[in-house]
Amino acid sequence: MLDKAFDPAAMEARLYAAAEAAGVFSADPARPAAPFTIVIPPPNVTGSLHIGHALNNTLQDVLVRWRRMQGRDALWMPGTDHAGIATQMVVERLLAAQGQERRAMGREAFLRRVWEWKAESGGAITRQLRRLGASLDWPRERFTMDEGLSRAVIEVFVTLHKQGLIYRDRRLVNWDPKLLTAISDLEVESREVKGTLWTLRYPIEGAPGRFIQVATTRPETMLGDTAVAVHPDDPRFADLVGRFAILPLTGRRIPIIADAYSDPEKGTGAVKITPAHDFNDFEVGRRHGLPMPNVLDPEARICLEEIAGELAEIPGVAEPDFVRALAGQERFAARKAILEKLEALGLLEKAEPHTHQVPHGDRGGVPLEPRLTWQWYCDAATLARPAIEAVETGRTVFVPKQWENTFFAWMRDIQPWCISRQLWWGHQIPAWYGPDGHIFVERTQQEAEAAARAHYGREVALRRDEDVLDTWFSSALWPFSTLGWPERTPELAKHYPTDVLVTGFDIIFFWVARMMMMGLHFMGEVPFRHVVIHGLVRDERGQKMSKSKGNVMDPLELIDAYGADAVRFTLCALASPGRDIKLSKQRMEGYRAFATKLWNAARFLEMNGVRPDPAWKPADAKGMLARWLLEKADAAAFEANRSLEAFRFDDYASGLYAFLWNTYCDWFIEFAKPVLNGPDGPEKEEVRGVAQHVLGLALRLLHPVMPFVTAELWEKLGYGDAVALTTTPYPEGREAAAEAGAALVDQAIEAISAIRSARSTLNVPASAVLPLRVSGAQTQGIRAFAPQIMRLARVAEPEFVAAAAEGAGPGAFCAAMGAELFLPLAGVVDLAAERARLGKERARAEAERAKLEAKLANPGFRAKAEEAVVAETEERLQDAAAEIARLDAALTRIAN
C-alpha cells in the first residue's frame, strides 16, 4: 500500500542511485538501435548548480529520457570545463589564505596544487546534477583538461597552424590588469560609471596661440597619442589636416589626420588617437600607419619605454621631467597628476560630469585596459564561412528560428579570435621559440626539437610559450573530442554529429558558433542538427536574478522544499520558445501539488482494487467512460510526442498536466467512483481495467519530466521495477478521434462545468441543490450521466423539456454541446442584486483596462520603464480584458 503522504525526499536519492548503478543511462555503440546524442554544455569545474543550469539540464534530460524510452541508443555526454581564469582564481585565493603565492611556488608546483583541488573539491556540480535527476552517461564523463581532450586540443592547434589558420600577431586585446591576462569578450562586463569628460587643448605647430581641442574620459592615455583625427568634411578643421599638433607634456609632434571615425556632431569634433589603448583608435592607427606606443604596463601603471626617446622640452607645453616622474604610477593616480599639470599649463579647457559605460573584468572586477600585446589568433573568418552555409542550407536549424539572425550577424562580421591567455592553468600552447625567436609549433617538445635541428642545422635551446589557450578553444571541440577524436572510436562513428544542443542565447557567439566552425573543419559535418535556445530564468516580476536584488532562487533549496520533480516540471512548463521564464515559488507549489494529486489518485485507485493487469486489452472496452478515457489518453500521448519533436517543452508539460489533473483525476475518477463503490461485475472490472491501463500509460508519458514520482509509483503499484521504467517503451498515441460514445462524456463534463461556473459567479450557496431543466436535440450525454451530474454539480434530477427556460421564472442559462440548460433560481438568489453587482465589477474592470491601455500607449512609459515593469503592465491589461469577458458571460447567463 502506498504511503499516505507523498514525500519526494524519501525516494529521490534512492531511485537515482539504483538507476545509475544499473547502467540504464549508458549508451552502447554496439547496439543496433538508432543513436540519439546530446552533449552537455560543460559547466565550470568551479561551479555549483544555479537556476539556469537547472533549466538547461532539465530540458536536455526530458529529451534524452524520451528518446531512450523510444528505443534509441541515447547518449547524453557529461563533463566539466577546466574554466581557466575561474579555477586559477579559486586556487590562488586558497593559497593566499595559507600565506602562499603562485609565482613564488613556480608553475609546476602551482599546477600540482590545482589538480589536487580538482580531485578534492572540483566537480561539485556533477553531484548536484544527480540531485536534479539528470540521466547523464556518467561512466563517459570527460574533463577539458583530461588526457584525451588535451591530445585533441594539441592536434587541432598544430593542424590549424600548419594550415595558416592560427598565427601570432600584435593587436589590441581586453586586458585585465588585476589578473594580468587577456580575456575574452564574454568576460567583459560593461558598467555604467559616473565620470568626467575633460576637454584638452593641443597647440598647433607653427601657429602660436592656436589650439585644437579634444575631449576624453581617459587623459592618462594621452602620453600614447599619435594623432588627432577630424572628419574629412568638417570645414572647421579643413586647413589643419596634414599639419601637426604638439602633444602636451611630452612635446611630441603628432599629425592631424582626416578620418570618418571622428563625428562632427560629438564633443569638439576632434578626437585624440591612442592606437595602443583604444579599439577604435587602433583601427584608425592601422588605416593611417600610425605608431602605436604602449604607455601602460600589464598592471596599468605608466611605462615610458616606448616614448622615452621622444620627450621634448617646450616651455608652457611640455615638461619631460614631469613625464618621467610618472613612470610606475598607477593609472588613476597618474590621471590626477596629469590633469593638475595640464590645468597649471592652461591646457585644460573644461571638465564636465559624464556618465558612460566602462568595461570591467567579470572576475577581476577592475576596469579593463585595451592593450597592445603579442597574442595567438585564429582566422575565424575563414572557419566561419562553412558554418554560415550550414545554417543557411538547414543542415543545422536554430529553434526558435529567429536566433539564426543573431548567429549570422556575428559570423558575417567575425573578427580574428584571440586564443591565448596569460595564465598557468589551461592547455599550454604547443609552440617553442628558438634563439632568434623563430617559432616551432609541434605536437611534442621532441618534434619541436627535431624541427629546430632541421632549421638551424644544430642542437639549440628552445623556450616554450608560457601562455595557455582560451577555455573556449577546448570547449569548441567538445562534440567530437568527448567521443574520442582524433581516434576513430565506435562512439565517434555512431554519435557524431549529435542531434540537439540545448543552450542559452548568451553563448551563441562564444560557444555555439565556434563548435560549428571546428566541427565542420575537422569532422566535415555539423556538430549538431538542432540548436535549441532557451530564455533566461527571471524572478516572478520578470527581473533578472541577482544577489544584490536578493531575488536569486537556489535550485538545490527548491529541490529540498518542493522535490526535484516539481522543480523540473515548473521549468519545463514555463519554457516557452523565445521567452524568458518568470519563476515563482507559487508555481513550484502548484506543481508539487500536481505530484501529490497523482500520488493521491494512485493511492485511491489502489485502495479500490485497481491493480496492473497486463492481460487487459483496451480493444475489449465497451463502456462510454472507458472508451472516452482511452481516446483522451491516446490523444495525450500523441500530443506529448508531437510537442517534444518540436521542442515545445511548455506544450508537453501543460498537455500532460491537463490530462492527468483534469481528465484522469478530476473527471474519470469522479465519474468512476459510483462504479468502484458499487457491486462487482463487468462494469466495475472494465473501469478498473481502464484505470490501471491509463495510469501506467500516464506514468510513462510523464517519466521524462518527473522521473522520481513516476518510477516510485511504477514499482509500488506493481507495474514493474522502478529502474526498468527508464527503458520502458514510450507510448505513441494517435490523433484525437471523434468517437460518439466519448463525446457523450464530454457533454456531461461540459454541463457540470457550466453549472459550477454559474453557481460560483452568481454566489449560489454551496449547500443549495438546484433544479435543472434541459432542452435541445443533443441531450444523450446528460441523460447517460445524470447521476454524476447531480452529484458533482449539486442539482436535482434533470427535467427534460421542450424549452428549458419557458415558464421557469428567473434563473441562469448554461450550454453544453448542443443542449440548453436552465437553473431556476427563484428564492435562491436575488438576480437583480447579482446583475447590479456584476455590472459594478465590470465597470471597475473596464476602468482598469482603460488606465492600463493609456499607460502603455504613452511612449515615455515604454522608453523609461524597466522591461519587467512594461511586461507586468501588459499582463495586467490581459487580465483585465479576461475579467471583462468573464463578467460579460456571467451577465448574459442571467434571465429574468
Side-chain angles (χ1 to χ4, degrees):
M1 178 65 68
L2 292 174
D3 293 339
K4 185 175 181 179
F6 168 60
D7 181 10
M11 67 181 73
E12 291 177 352
R14 167 176 50 81
L15 289 169
Y16 191 91
E20 185 178 355
V24 291
F25 300 156
S26 292
D28 180 1
R31 283 183 60 205
F36 178 77
T37 313
I38 295 181
V39 292
I40 191 173
N44 287 356
V45 71
T46 58
S48 60
L49 192 71
H50 59 62
I51 201 68
H53 288 134
L55 168 66
N56 183 272
N57 286 282
T58 292
L59 302 185
Q60 291 176 78
D61 197 36
V62 167
L63 292 174
V64 168
R65 287 180 180 272
W66 168 58
R67 292 299 194 187
R68 189 183 287 127
M69 293 176 76
Q70 287 185 324
R72 303 279 287 273
D73 185 34
L75 170 59
W76 187 11
M77 176 62 70
T80 51
D81 191 282
H82 65 279
I85 291 178
T87 304
Q88 184 157 316
M89 285 181 67
V90 166
V91 178
E92 285 198 68
R93 280 197 295 265
L94 292 173
L95 290 171
Q98 300 165 6
Q100 295 178 279
E101 198 273 331
R102 73 175 168 99
R103 287 183 176 81
M105 296 174 67
R107 185 172 192 141
E108 289 187 15
F110 176 74
L111 291 178
R112 281 197 300 272
R113 184 66 187 87
V114 180
W115 280 107
E116 288 170 8
W117 174 86
K118 194 263 179 187
E120 296 164 5
S121 308
I125 195 167
T126 61
R127 296 188 292 275
Q128 294 164 352
L129 285 170
R130 288 171 167 89
R131 287 204 60 197
L132 185 67
S135 62
L136 289 141
D137 193 343
W138 292 113
R140 298 181 191 276
E141 184 178 351
R142 304 303 300 268
F143 177 55
T144 49
M145 287 278 287
D146 70 28
E147 184 179 349
L149 268 63
S150 295
R151 187 166 63 251
V153 167
I154 290 172
E155 182 66 28
V156 166
F157 186 97
V158 173
T159 300
L160 290 177
H161 181 267
K162 292 185 184 302
Q163 293 171 346
L165 296 174
I166 281 181
Y167 56 92
R168 203 161 177 262
D169 194 9
R170 190 170 184 254
R171 299 173 59 95
L172 276 190
V173 295
N174 293 302
W175 183 266
D176 191 317
K178 180 178 178 180
L179 302 178
L180 303 181
T181 181
I183 66 172
S184 78
D185 293 339
L186 183 66
E187 293 152 343
V188 176
E189 190 177 89
S190 287
R191 299 182 188 174
E192 189 173 86
V193 172
K194 292 182 178 179
T196 304
L197 183 67
W198 291 277
T199 301
L200 313 181
R201 307 169 75 206
Y202 287 14
I204 303 299
E205 183 185 49
R210 189 176 182 187
F211 302 88
I212 188 166
Q213 296 183 353
V214 298
T216 181
T217 59
R218 307 193 63 222
E220 66 276 13
T221 66
M222 68 178 293
L223 302 177
D225 287 0
T226 56
V228 173
V230 297
H231 195 277
D233 302 326
D234 193 331
R236 293 174 294 176
F237 307 109
D239 68 318
L240 293 180
V241 175
R243 297 180 65 178
F244 289 85
I246 303 299
L247 182 63
L249 306 183
T250 72
R252 191 165 67 247
R253 297 168 72 246
I254 58 175
I256 299 170
I257 60 174
D259 194 282
Y261 166 61
S262 179
D263 186 346
E265 304 299 322
K266 286 186 178 180
T268 65
V271 292
K272 61 192 280 300
I273 302 299
T274 321
H277 297 284
D278 183 278
F279 286 99
N280 292 315
D281 292 5
F282 177 74
E283 295 302 328
V284 174
R286 290 211 304 181
R287 285 197 291 272
H288 294 270
L290 299 176
M292 300 186 179
N294 263 320
V295 294
L296 291 172
D297 72 6
E299 296 180 71
R301 299 173 303 192
I302 299 294
C303 64
L304 305 174
E305 286 84 350
E306 296 184 32
I307 64 167
E310 302 177 14
L311 300 180
E313 179 81 42
I314 303 176
V317 176
E319 297 189 11
D321 289 342
F322 168 78
V323 174
R324 293 186 188 100
L326 293 173
Q329 285 194 31
E330 185 272 334
R331 54 185 163 169
F332 298 119
R335 173 186 295 181
K336 182 180 178 184
I338 287 171
L339 289 168
E340 288 174 353
K341 177 58 71 173
L342 289 171
E343 187 168 26
L345 294 172
L347 299 176
L348 176 58
E349 176 72 18
K350 60 181 176 180
E352 303 168 286
H354 181 66
T355 300
H356 59 128
Q357 298 290 325
V358 176
H360 286 66
D362 68 344
R363 299 189 184 280
V366 300
L368 299 175
E369 285 293 340
R371 188 159 187 270
L372 191 60
T373 64
W374 282 100
Q375 302 282 349
W376 287 92
Y377 288 88
C378 182
D379 181 357
T382 298
L383 294 175
R385 284 193 285 271
I388 292 169
E389 190 270 341
V391 176
E392 287 174 336
T393 57
R395 290 160 65 195
T396 291
V397 176
F398 279 76
V399 181
K401 194 171 179 63
Q402 67 260 27
W403 287 111
E404 291 180 2
N405 295 328
T406 303
F407 174 84
F408 290 139
W410 188 70
M411 292 289 272
R412 289 169 179 160
D413 190 35
I414 198 167
Q415 300 300 308
W417 172 17
C418 176
I419 58 175
S420 48
R421 299 290 179 267
Q422 289 63 56
L423 303 170
W424 285 356
W425 174 244
H427 296 100
Q428 191 171 356
I429 289 174
W432 286 262
Y433 299 89
D436 57 358
H438 188 86
I439 303 173
F440 302 93
V441 173
E442 301 293 345
R443 291 169 181 80
T444 65
Q445 182 163 344
Q446 291 74 24
E447 290 182 17
E449 289 169 347
R453 281 195 300 273
H455 176 77
Y456 294 110
R458 57 189 172 85
E459 294 283 346
V460 296
L462 297 180
R463 174 182 59 85
R464 185 167 184 177
D465 195 308
E466 293 189 356
D467 288 354
V468 300
L469 286 164
D470 176 14
T471 299
W472 295 103
F473 189 90
S474 52
S475 57
L477 319 181
W478 191 250
F480 57 93
S481 65
T482 52
L483 297 173
W485 188 92
E487 293 182 23
R488 288 288 169 180
T489 64
E491 288 82 359
L492 189 66
K494 185 171 185 179
H495 290 282
Y496 189 94
T498 69
D499 291 85
V500 186
L501 177 73
V502 181
T503 190
F505 62 85
D506 52 334
I507 54 174
I508 290 175
F509 307 147
F510 303 101
W511 189 46
V512 178
R514 287 165 178 169
M515 286 190 288
M516 290 282 292
M517 292 189 286
M518 294 299 191
L520 283 160
H521 192 78
F522 286 94
M523 297 297 297
E525 183 54 279
V526 293
F528 22 73
R529 304 295 188 195
H530 290 89
V531 180
V532 177
I533 303 293
H534 58 71
L536 292 175
V537 185
R538 299 180 178 269
D539 71 8
E540 59 190 311
R541 296 189 64 235
Q543 297 184 101
K544 194 171 182 179
M545 292 187 186
S546 70
K547 291 179 181 178
S548 61
K549 292 179 182 176
N551 62 349
V552 172
M553 292 189 190
D554 184 337
L556 299 174
E557 292 178 3
L558 295 173
I559 289 170
D560 288 338
Y562 306 109
D565 285 330
V567 172
R568 291 164 60 101
F569 197 92
T570 305
L571 293 169
C572 194
L574 296 176
S576 299
R579 298 183 62 183
D580 287 345
I581 288 175
K582 293 183 181 179
L583 188 63
S584 69
K585 291 185 178 179
Q586 289 79 6
R587 294 297 292 262
M588 294 276 178
E589 290 167 0
Y591 292 127
R592 161 69 189 259
F594 174 54
T596 301
K597 179 99 169 176
L598 177 63
W599 184 272
N600 290 341
R603 188 169 184 274
F604 168 80
L605 293 171
E606 184 185 38
M607 292 169 64
N608 281 273
V610 175
R611 302 281 187 275
D613 181 5
W616 191 84
K617 293 183 176 60
D620 293 341
K622 306 299 181 190
M624 282 188 288
L625 185 60
R627 298 304 309 162
W628 170 81
L629 182 60
L630 289 169
E631 180 190 291
K632 299 296 184 187
D634 260 349
F638 180 84
E639 291 302 326
N641 283 287
R642 183 156 67 175
S643 297
L644 292 178
E645 289 280 3
F647 308 108
R648 288 301 305 259
F649 301 97
D650 54 338
D651 289 348
Y652 162 73
S654 61
L656 291 184
Y657 181 92
F659 172 70
L660 276 161
W661 188 292
N662 299 327
T663 303
Y664 192 79
C665 295
D666 279 357
W667 293 118
F668 168 72
I669 289 180
E670 288 301 326
F671 273 46
K673 278 180 179 177
V675 180
L676 294 173
N677 292 330
D680 291 341
E683 186 181 11
K684 178 183 277 192
E685 285 307 305
E686 182 173 88
V687 166
R688 282 176 170 168
V690 75
Q692 63 81 28
H693 172 79
V694 172
L695 180 57
L697 178 142
L699 294 177
R700 286 183 283 150
L701 289 175
L702 195 60
H703 182 68
V705 67
M706 297 184 106
F708 295 116
V709 67
T710 53
E712 185 79 348
L713 289 174
W714 185 263
E715 182 166 284
K716 290 288 179 68
L717 294 174
Y719 287 97
D721 181 71
V723 170
L725 179 57
T726 307
T727 52
T728 299
Y730 198 79
E732 293 182 9
R734 57 179 178 154
E735 212 161 356
E739 190 173 312
L744 301 185
V745 182
D746 285 331
Q747 185 185 45
I749 289 171
E750 192 168 313
I752 295 167
S753 299
I755 295 168
R756 284 175 170 175
S757 177
R759 292 181 67 118
S760 173
T761 304
L762 299 174
N763 289 327
V764 175
S767 60
V769 177
L770 301 179
L772 174 62
R773 293 166 59 87
V774 183
S775 62
Q778 304 293 329
T779 62
Q780 297 95 318
I782 297 170
R783 294 175 188 275
F785 293 98
Q788 287 87 345
I789 295 171
M790 293 165 61
R791 177 170 59 89
L792 298 173
R794 299 282 293 164
V795 293
E797 185 169 349
E799 180 185 359
F800 294 90
V801 296
E806 190 174 307
F813 285 108
C814 301
M817 293 174 64
E820 186 176 88
L821 315 178
F822 190 78
L823 301 171
L825 295 173
V828 179
V829 174
D830 183 341
L831 290 179
E834 285 302 313
R835 185 180 289 107
R837 178 182 66 80
L838 293 170
K840 288 180 181 178
E841 288 185 16
R842 192 194 186 287
R844 280 197 298 270
E846 185 61 60
E848 174 71 2
R849 177 166 68 176
K851 183 180 75 173
L852 294 169
E853 284 177 338
K855 194 173 191 178
L856 289 167
N858 181 353
F861 169 72
R862 288 190 176 273
K864 295 177 182 177
E866 291 184 14
E867 183 182 341
V869 174
V870 174
E872 183 181 17
T873 305
E874 290 173 337
E875 285 187 12
R876 287 170 57 201
L877 177 60
Q878 293 172 2
D879 292 343
E883 178 67 1
I884 291 169
R886 183 188 72 82
L887 293 167
D888 284 342
L891 285 164
T892 60
R893 286 196 187 104
I894 300 175
N896 292 323

